[in-house]
Amino acid sequence: MTTPSDAVMNLPRRDARDKLQGRTRYTVDRAVSGMLHAVQLRAAVPSARIVSLDTAAARRMPGVRAIATSEDAPGRHGIGIADHPLFAVDRVRYDGEPLAAVAADTFEQAVAAAAAIVVVLEPLPAVLTMADALADGAPLVHPDWRAYEVLLEGGAHAGNVAWEATVVRGDTDATFARPDVRIVESRFRNGRQNHLSFEPRAVVASFEDGRYHIETSTQVPWTVRNVTARVLGVPPAQVRVTVPAVGGAFGLKFDCSLEPFAAILARKSGRPVRLVNSRQEEMLTCLARENAEITIRSAIDAAGEIVGREAVVLMDCGAYGGEQIFLTTMTAHTLGGNYRLGSVKLVSRAVYTNTAPNGAFRACNGTYNTFALERHTDEICAAIGMDPLEFRRRNVLGDRDLGATGQVFEGDVLGPMLDRMTVLRAEKPAAPAPADGRLYGRATTVGTWFIFVGPSAATINLNADGSATLITSGVEIGSGTMVQSLPQIVASELGLTPEQVIVRAADTDAAGYDLGVGGGRTTVSIGAASRAAAADVRQKLLGVASEMLQTPPERLSLHRGRVEITGLPGSGATIAEVVSRAHAVMGPLAGSGAFTKPGVTAMAGCAAGHFIDAIDIPVFAVHDCEVAVDRDTGHVEVLRYRVVQDVGRALNPRAIHGQIQGGVVQGLGYALHEEMTIGVDGRICQSSLETYRVPLAQDVVPVEIVLHEGAPSIGPLGSKGAGEVPILNVAATIACAVAQATGKRVQEIPLTPPRVLALLLDRTPPLDFPHIRNDWRANVLGGGVAARR
């Protein structure tokens, strides 16, 4: 009989050697006979009317085989609202928007032909900030927004508000009117962050036998399939998507991007087409983590409990709604997470601007909302004179507590995690205060994340040699889940070693539907489907073995590639022998499994415009860091960093440690270095690694890690996804530590040296958001304000 512990091991990555030695072939490395090279012609203005677009001269250029424009892609796509055409149609909405695509024999010929396309544009007023977009009488990024198809009912949208999600639970008006409460108000702002995955977005497409074959670097093969079909106006069955190894993603590739362009050019030319973004295109037009503006207002009673909270979160989605429409949902569970709230009102708005669209990024929405929430928490503690750790212990979510949307949480998780961090701090005393005059600060923060579940499917074939082949639409994006936890789960169910489990690359023609790889869902959703498929195979295998061995199935066990009679080691037969018998009497042994979200419920009537009202698998994190701040330069050095992470059951502790170390480093970049700014021309100013600062080797700090196991989870074997949450608290923890070190009010990230120095010199005015009204209702569509258009 297998047990969950059978799946737990520090399994090395089977793909590590090939990746380290450069043998892994990514999409960007692919080449096929007769392949053409494609480029996109992009707009160089943020807002304009397209007067004309003439491709005649370009079509006569040497080597040109196909040119595509908006006439070739009639459909629009999107999340929640179908607002996004493939090419700009009649109107340019951001600098870098595709106007046409060219395929030619060589890349140089394609570039020359694209330059020969004659485009006449009539400039239009642009709104480049959310303040501009929400101003009275602001130009509309989408004047025809009313005509767009709504794909999810329930969300409010109007004018430059692409989507709005709200939470209302309890009576905050009465709470804030109480004479015994202390009211604390805070404002915060964050910038954009580039994913900077090593492999840019890349695709090779072909058109054969009336079908499109798209080989692409993506996290979401089924999304690529369905969106490509939608914008091309063909049935989804005419599109096949396969995915080689992916050279990093972090959410960048959680959408359909280049694939339809290459597919159109492949059909028009009759030849395979390769389309790859340059690094500059990745920097200027990629789906960055969105910039946001946040206000929070809390009422605290005499016992130090949060009896009321109101918050407004504005998220810049850029020219199209994209992932940000979905991410408005997240505010309820990130900014509305961590703590018990007596009453709450939250509104999260995705706002259109004439800038490059934004998208999902590791712990999307959570990083900046956790930064805002934890800084606000420290400001509360300062206002009421309570120790920050004690305040958190007193108020964190526990067993049977209500979340913001009224869901009931199970298990006491954050409290024991805070206790463990306290012990960890005591075991290893704080780093000595810098002797060079730098300012020393320390902070501990908490964070709430959750695992995206949703539908996944798996099929397992038991092979003649006793090995198993796992077929899913899962994608190996570099995290290792596809080659570590999934083989571990399947092997433990079938009595094999993980090395005996072959994992097929994603192919929508071979595998069932899957929501995609991201949000920590691979181990949970695909893992659960894989375990169900393995259980199906196991039942069939034991049935055949029972007949062979004349022993009831319940007396048989699978162990080390054998079917044995329980209690009689060495008895029975090898799995290969049983498979051979199955071939003779019933045919090959295969099994299938599926999984979808179980549907944890929220309180009726609390949430509106949400894609997820309640979270099926919450994941918690506690971070602690120590910093030194240079008084003269504003440079922040992280001296020590600690993490206690909720993992449910750690199937591969070493792999989880790697994810935590990597996530913290990525968070260091977000907190201290990585800054994207928009110029007056609407173009992102940081177009290369010369102008976009990321963490370097000397910036990396070793992370002290404790894995907190045992929290409730519906994941297979009690597991939770571990790759998303490590970045969640980093900016919050560093910002709180810098505020503690300097005694200054930290309201904005990243904390670059110039920004910190300005704080130290008292040259940073308090944030003011005149476009966010003081009355919470005035920030809600239908509340008397935004319904004006």
Side-chain angles (χ1 to χ4, degrees), residues 71 79 95 123 145 162 175 209 224 252 257 281 285 365 452 472 505 513 517 523 622 744 783:
E71 296 177 354
I79 298 174
D95 182 283
W145 63 269
T175 300
D209 300 325
V224 169
L252 170 64
S257 58
E281 286 176 306
T285 67
N365 174 285
F452 291 84
T472 75
Y513 177 77
V517 171
T523 296
V622 177
K744 305 298 181 181

Side-chain angles (χ1 to χ4, degrees), residues 317-401:
C317 61
Y320 297 101
E323 287 286 340
Q324 271 57 51
I325 285 180
F326 174 82
L327 296 183
T328 57
T329 286
M330 311 287 286
T331 293
H333 313 300
T334 54
L335 191 69
N338 291 5
Y339 305 107
R340 293 186 305 277
L341 304 174
S343 59
V344 58
K345 286 179 182 171
L346 307 174
V347 60
S348 187
R349 309 175 104 182
V351 180
Y352 287 129
T353 60
N354 288 116
T355 63
N358 290 311
F361 194 134
R362 194 178 195 172
C364 41
N365 174 285
T367 50
Y368 55 79
N369 271 331
T370 301
F371 154 67
L373 177 57
E374 291 302 279
R375 280 292 303 121
H376 177 65
T377 300
D378 276 4
E379 291 187 355
I380 289 173
C381 295
I384 66 174
M386 183 177 289
D387 176 75
L389 269 176
E390 175 58 29
F391 181 86
R392 287 174 169 85
R393 284 195 190 93
R394 187 172 299 190
N395 288 282
V396 291
L397 289 165
D399 190 38
R400 310 307 297 171
D401 283 337

Side-chain angles (χ1 to χ4, degrees), residues 545 549 551 555-575 577-578:
L549 303 175
T551 303
R555 288 196 55 209
L556 299 177
S557 60
L558 301 178
H559 184 62
R560 295 184 179 178
R562 296 184 60 82
V563 182
E564 296 182 341
I565 300 171
T566 302
L568 297 175
S571 62
T574 66
I575 289 177
E577 291 170 337
V578 179

Side-chain angles (χ1 to χ4, degrees), residues 349-630:
R349 309 175 104 182
V351 180
Y352 287 129
T353 60
N354 288 116
T355 63
N358 290 311
F361 194 134
R362 194 178 195 172
C364 41
N365 174 285
T367 50
Y368 55 79
N369 271 331
T370 301
F371 154 67
L373 177 57
E374 291 302 279
R375 280 292 303 121
H376 177 65
T377 300
D378 276 4
E379 291 187 355
I380 289 173
C381 295
I384 66 174
M386 183 177 289
D387 176 75
L389 269 176
E390 175 58 29
F391 181 86
R392 287 174 169 85
R393 284 195 190 93
R394 187 172 299 190
N395 288 282
V396 291
L397 289 165
D399 190 38
R400 310 307 297 171
D401 283 337
L402 291 182
T405 62
Q407 83 168 90
V408 178
F409 280 84
E410 295 182 12
D412 191 10
V413 185
L414 268 174
M417 291 175 66
L418 276 169
D419 292 341
R420 185 66 188 92
M421 180 62 79
T422 301
V423 172
L424 190 63
R425 288 171 52 142
E427 289 174 347
K428 296 183 179 179
D436 52 11
R438 289 183 298 170
L439 302 170
Y440 170 84
R442 183 174 195 172
T444 299
T445 68
V446 299
T448 302
W449 184 245
F450 63 97
I451 305 302
F452 291 84
V453 283
S456 289
T459 300
I460 294 176
N461 296 322
L462 205 52
N463 303 317
D465 62 355
S467 65
T469 299
L470 173 63
I471 303 167
T472 75
S473 288
V475 176
E476 177 48 56
I477 61 173
S479 64
T481 306
M482 297 298 297
V483 294
Q484 289 176 304
S485 64
L486 293 190
Q488 288 174 233
I489 290 169
V490 171
S492 70
E493 190 73 22
L494 295 179
L496 303 174
T497 64
E499 292 79 8
Q500 291 176 286
V501 180
I502 302 160
V503 181
R504 281 278 305 272
D507 181 344
T508 57
D509 274 5
Y513 177 77
D514 190 83
L515 190 64
V517 171
R521 68 180 303 277
T522 308
T523 296
V524 171
S525 293
I526 301 180
S530 299
R531 191 180 186 212
D536 190 15
V537 171
R538 178 189 178 95
Q539 181 180 16
K540 295 173 182 177
L541 179 67
L542 292 178
V544 176
S546 174
E547 182 269 333
M548 284 180 63
L549 303 175
Q550 297 297 297
T551 303
E554 59 270 18
R555 288 196 55 209
L556 299 177
S557 60
L558 301 178
H559 184 62
R560 295 184 179 178
R562 296 184 60 82
V563 182
E564 296 182 341
I565 300 171
T566 302
L568 297 175
S571 62
T574 66
I575 289 177
E577 291 170 337
V578 179
V579 171
S580 177
R581 176 63 178 170
H583 286 178
V585 299
M586 62 177 291
L589 292 177
S592 61
F595 176 82
T596 193
K597 59 182 181 180
V600 173
T601 58
M603 187 180 293
C606 283
H610 285 67
F611 292 74
I612 303 172
D613 288 349
I615 54 182
D616 294 303
I617 307 178
V619 185
F620 301 103
V622 177
H623 288 209
D624 178 270
C625 84
E626 302 168 53
V627 302
V629 181
D630 192 302

Side-chain angles (χ1 to χ4, degrees), residues 101-292:
V102 179
D105 291 340
T106 69
F107 176 76
E108 292 74 18
Q109 289 172 332
V111 170
I117 296 175
V118 179
V119 183
V120 178
L121 300 175
E122 177 186 299
L124 295 171
V127 289
L128 302 180
T129 68
M130 291 188 287
D132 293 340
L134 296 177
D136 290 333
L140 296 182
V141 178
H142 293 265
D144 50 351
W145 63 269
R146 289 182 177 86
Y148 293 156
E149 179 185 1
V150 176
L151 305 175
L152 178 77
E153 296 295 338
H157 61 286
N160 284 333
V161 178
W163 196 266
E164 179 180 279
T166 58
V167 174
V168 177
R169 179 172 62 77
D171 188 348
T172 58
D173 292 339
T175 300
F176 281 97
R178 283 169 46 177
D180 64 328
V181 300
R182 180 72 179 267
I183 297 174
V184 180
E185 301 186 22
S186 307
R187 295 176 177 85
F188 303 98
R189 179 166 60 202
N190 68 280
R192 301 187 182 193
Q193 183 184 22
N194 192 289
H195 302 76
L196 216 68
S197 55
F198 284 156
E199 182 192 26
R201 287 176 290 189
V203 59
V204 176
S206 59
F207 185 73
E208 299 176 1
D209 300 325
R211 297 183 75 215
Y212 299 90
H213 178 201
I214 296 173
E215 192 172 29
T216 183
S217 183
T218 185
Q219 298 170 247
V220 285
W222 282 88
T223 297
V224 169
R225 175 185 186 261
N226 295 335
V227 171
T228 299
R230 180 183 176 95
V231 297
L232 269 58
V234 301
Q238 288 186 14
V239 182
R240 176 194 178 198
V241 178
T242 57
V243 187
V246 175
F250 307 113
L252 170 64
K253 300 167 184 176
F254 204 79
D255 79 325
C256 184
S257 58
L258 301 183
E259 295 86 0
F261 298 99
I264 293 170
L265 293 170
R267 176 179 55 79
K268 296 189 75 169
S269 67
R271 289 170 57 181
V273 172
R274 177 183 189 264
L275 178 58
V276 178
N277 268 355
S278 67
R279 180 56 61 186
Q280 185 180 57
E281 286 176 306
E282 290 284 283
M283 300 294 291
L284 297 181
T285 67
C286 83
L287 304 176
R289 188 192 302 279
E290 68 276 10
N291 50 298

Side-chain angles (χ1 to χ4, degrees), residues 129-132 134-135 185-191 291-297 310-316 335 347 349 351 368-369 371-372 379 745-749 764-776 778-779 785:
T129 68
M130 291 188 287
D132 293 340
L134 296 177
E185 301 186 22
S186 307
R187 295 176 177 85
F188 303 98
R189 179 166 60 202
N190 68 280
N291 50 298
E293 295 165 346
I294 303 165
T295 65
I296 314 176
R297 181 171 176 250
E310 294 180 348
V312 178
V313 177
L314 302 183
M315 305 160 57
D316 189 342
L335 191 69
V347 60
R349 309 175 104 182
V351 180
Y368 55 79
N369 271 331
F371 154 67
E379 291 187 355
R745 193 178 189 191
V746 174
Q747 295 180 285
E748 186 171 5
I749 51 174
T764 303
L767 286 181
D768 183 32
F769 300 139
H771 51 292
I772 300 179
R773 311 302 198 266
N774 290 329
D775 180 0
W776 183 87
N779 300 288
V785 179

